[in-house]
Amino acid sequence: MNGPVPAHLGCYANSGGGPSLLPLDIGHADYLALTDPTTAFWALVKKDRLAETLAGGPLLDQYRVQAAEFARELHGLRFELKPSAVYVNPTERCNLDCSYCYIPREMRRSGDHMPTERLLDALTRLKDYFATVMPAGRKPRIIFHGAEPLMNRDALFAAIDAFRDDYLFGVQTNATLLDAAALDFLTARGISIGLSLDGPTADVTDVTRLSFGGKSVHDKVLDTMDRLRDYDAWSVIATCTAKNLGQLVPLVELFHAREVPTCMLNAVRCTLVGGREVKPDDAALAENFIAALERSHALFLESGRKLVIANFANVLLAILAPTARRLMCDISPCGGGRAFFALAPDGGLFPCSEFIGLPAFNGGNLFEQPVADILASQAFTKVTSRDVDKFAPCATCAIRHFCGAPCPAEAHEMNGSMEKVGAFCGFYEEQVRYALRLVADGKAGDFLWDGWDAGVETSFSVNLQ
Amino acid sequence: MSQTTQAQQSQTVPATLQPDVQPAVIATRQRCEADGVGLSHYILMDRKPAQ
């Protein structure tokens, strides 16, 4: 910018109308970060150049003129989206008794299936709703989730065939019921398949994931992974608990060896007591999680083949390209009830699957009320209005819009209020710091999907020597 | 200070930024249509690089 700075843009950083940039130690030898948390703007500055950077120059000049644009972009992402996906639970039942599941145990053991006709009716109603909020030509997503969706396989497959032109489908399954016929059905239709596995060996997996009869399912999941090896639309979710923390590195090695294209290393959700009983310590989780990331990177350098760890990749995207996020947990408000919602087998709609065990968050019944009315219910708005700008300690946190303080269900059930942090504040702090270190070292792209930036344009770029 | 512009890039090979070319300030931001596509517990493997 040439000449004096217009008064409304502020002459100085951190005073008057000037940009507010918080310094943030990221644990890097050479760099620290500056962030404007109100716009999710960041810069990495060499430590010995901080004073002159804050005194003025190209970084401040360019940010002054674009800050309002970034604020609008973030506001749109946080408050103006319409739903485009539904987690559909076609059954309450599951054949496994995972200790940390967020679906109540009795519901999983002896709950109801959604009859086929009822499921078809549900997808018809949802299709009608999406036609009112989604642009023509874009398909909404249906994720069959659980409990174990393949417990109600006939209904599931009938729905996929009936609506294959209307939705993009995914199935998250424990893999135990994926026989050859089921795999053929799903892969022939290009359905995205997510599996679950928590350990590199059966003795680790079996600590948290066993059948109701106490049988191991580890080998069955490995067998299914082998059969999916040449399929390109599959992933694996591992739940990180106090029981498998030390095994995340060998678990990543197993995933890479079996050519898993994408995995998620999700911290256990602490909404229900069972999850809280295996909650890992934040610092220990961060240490082991980052070790697993580092191992995945080393494997990439050795083999040229990436194992993308999607939940961390999403934190990187929140920093590099906020609107390119693919997951909507680590944003505030989270995606629950506004980017997606969940359908229970009895027709109840919840902001997210995470709330299905909590009747107070049932917003209404799909078969009795319009979806739009349910989305406006108090059960939903309690979640969709949770805003990290409005409660401590998030309101003064420099990285609050890279993290979003997930998850509202945990905050409510574990910490007593929607206006509390979730279960893993410290873990998210460490993830963001690590992500910024990767950016400083020019390695961030190694942790993202190839082609992640197709359709993405650069809106800000300052690189000063 | 001199200013240069970083080209948008999709890295398909390991990054090779050398320490001796570390910039003093790095600040980038990218954007795309915020189309509402986003999930929670699940990653839908339906986005192809060419799309």
Side-chain angles (χ1 to χ4, degrees):
Chain A
M1 182 177 292
N2 297 319
V5 177
H8 72 282
L9 294 177
C11 295
Y12 305 106
N14 298 328
S15 70
S20 295
L21 295 169
L22 295 175
L24 176 73
D25 174 59
I26 60 170
H28 192 280
D30 301 318
Y31 289 95
L32 55 70
L34 293 174
T35 76
D36 181 348
T38 64
T39 60
F41 175 79
W42 59 270
L44 297 171
V45 182
K46 281 216 166 169
K47 292 176 179 177
D48 60 358
R49 306 286 287 274
L50 178 63
E52 70 177 275
T53 300
L54 285 173
L59 179 72
L60 291 188
D61 288 348
Q62 189 169 332
Y63 182 54
R64 275 191 190 94
V65 298
Q66 289 190 256
E69 166 195 334
F70 295 158
R72 282 193 299 275
E73 177 185 85
L74 190 63
H75 187 274
L77 187 64
R78 298 181 60 212
F79 299 108
E80 296 169 2
L81 299 181
K82 295 291 186 182
S84 61
V86 183
Y87 287 94
V88 173
N89 287 25
T91 179
E92 293 177 335
R93 292 187 208 169
C94 187
N95 54 339
L96 299 194
D97 187 24
C98 304
S99 62
Y100 51 68
C101 186
Y102 50 81
I103 308 286
R105 188 168 196 247
E106 203 49 42
M107 189 182 282
R108 284 182 281 118
R109 181 152 58 181
S110 53
D112 295 325
H113 289 327
M114 183 182 273
T116 300
E117 290 308 313
R118 193 85 157 157
L119 181 57
L120 296 175
D121 185 12
L123 294 198
T124 300
R125 290 168 187 262
L126 291 171
K127 178 183 167 185
D128 292 344
Y129 165 72
F130 282 120
T132 68
V133 295
M134 289 186 68
R138 276 190 49 210
K139 292 182 181 179
R141 274 85 166 151
I142 295 291
I143 311 301
F144 291 112
H145 212 266
E148 172 49 49
L150 288 169
M151 294 285 282
N152 194 11
R153 167 173 159 164
D154 290 347
L156 193 73
F157 288 1
I160 289 172
D161 269 345
F163 291 92
R164 60 190 302 177
D165 295 330
D166 303 306
Y167 293 107
L168 295 172
F169 286 106
V171 180
Q172 180 65 32
T173 172
N174 62 34
T176 60
L177 303 175
L178 269 178
D179 58 23
L183 270 180
D184 287 347
F185 179 92
L186 295 170
T187 56
R189 289 158 180 77
I191 308 300
S192 177
I193 300 172
L195 308 181
S196 300
L197 186 73
D198 286 1
T201 55
D203 61 318
V204 178
T205 299
D206 294 352
V207 174
T208 48
R209 299 184 64 79
L210 288 171
S211 74
F212 274 101
K215 290 180 63 177
S216 175
V217 298
H218 182 87
D219 290 343
K220 171 64 181 172
V221 182
L222 293 188
D223 177 62
T224 304
M225 288 168 67
D226 284 341
R227 287 186 287 146
L228 283 169
R229 194 176 290 225
D230 294 327
Y231 189 53
D232 60 1
W234 67 293
S235 61
V236 184
I237 291 178
T239 299
C240 303
T241 70
K243 305 295 184 183
N244 67 355
L245 267 197
Q247 298 297 315
L248 296 184
V249 167
L251 185 59
V252 159
E253 290 170 344
L254 179 146
F255 288 166
H256 190 268
R258 292 182 186 250
E259 300 181 19
V260 175
T262 295
C263 72
M264 296 175 79
L265 302 181
N266 288 341
V268 63
R269 282 282 180 244
C270 298
T271 305
L272 298 186
V273 172
R276 298 201 279 274
E277 288 176 348
V278 291
K279 179 189 181 301
D281 170 75
D282 278 52
L285 175 57
E287 179 183 348
N288 286 282
F289 181 85
I290 290 172
L293 291 170
E294 297 269 279
R295 183 64 184 133
S296 78
H297 189 238
L299 290 167
F300 171 48
L301 297 181
E302 289 169 15
S303 68
R305 179 166 49 80
K306 283 181 184 174
L307 165 65
V308 176
I309 299 176
N311 50 313
F312 177 71
N314 208 60
V315 171
L316 270 172
L317 288 180
I319 294 168
L320 296 170
T323 50
R325 281 173 166 89
R326 298 190 189 189
L327 299 169
M328 297 293 274
C329 286
D330 40 19
I331 184 170
S332 169
C334 74
R338 67 182 191 94
F340 55 81
F341 51 88
L343 171 66
D346 66 356
L349 290 188
F350 294 80
C352 172
S353 297
E354 200 63 41
F355 289 98
I356 282 182
L358 308 175
F361 289 91
N362 183 337
N365 194 293
L366 175 66
F367 301 110
E368 298 167 6
Q369 296 159 262
V371 172
D373 289 357
I374 297 173
L375 296 183
S377 67
Q378 191 177 19
F380 273 60
T381 56
K382 198 169 180 178
V383 177
T384 58
S385 63
R386 180 174 182 262
D387 181 351
V388 291
D389 288 340
K390 296 179 178 174
F391 59 86
C394 302
T396 55
C397 175
I399 58 170
R400 62 183 180 270
H401 292 306
F402 303 141
C403 151
C407 145
E410 291 174 321
H412 191 268
E413 294 299 303
M414 175 179 164
N415 294 332
S417 164
M418 282 294 178
E419 299 198 331
K420 301 282 188 184
V421 295
F424 292 102
C425 176
F427 174 50
Y428 271 90
E429 284 185 273
E430 294 302 333
Q431 280 192 83
V432 171
R433 282 172 160 74
Y434 180 68
L436 288 167
R437 293 199 293 273
L438 292 178
V439 176
D441 291 335
K443 295 177 180 174
D446 293 356
F447 292 80
L448 296 169
W449 295 272
D450 287 345
W452 72 272
D453 55 358
V456 172
E457 63 180 18
T458 299
S459 57
F460 191 95
S461 181
V462 169
N463 187 343
L464 305 173
Q465 296 300 325
Chain B
M1 286 185 174
S2 63
Q3 182 174 357
T4 60
T5 300
Q6 285 186 324
Q8 178 180 330
Q9 56 184 350
S10 173
Q11 298 178 6
T12 55
V13 296
T16 55
L17 189 65
Q18 298 301 311
D20 61 352
V21 295
Q22 281 186 328
V25 176
I26 305 166
T28 66
R29 187 172 176 119
Q30 292 174 282
R31 69 177 166 213
C32 60
E33 180 191 359
D35 55 12
V37 174
L39 297 165
S40 59
H41 308 69
Y42 185 86
I43 190 78
L44 192 62
M45 302 288 289
D46 69 323
R47 285 192 173 180
K48 306 298 183 191
Q51 286 182 336

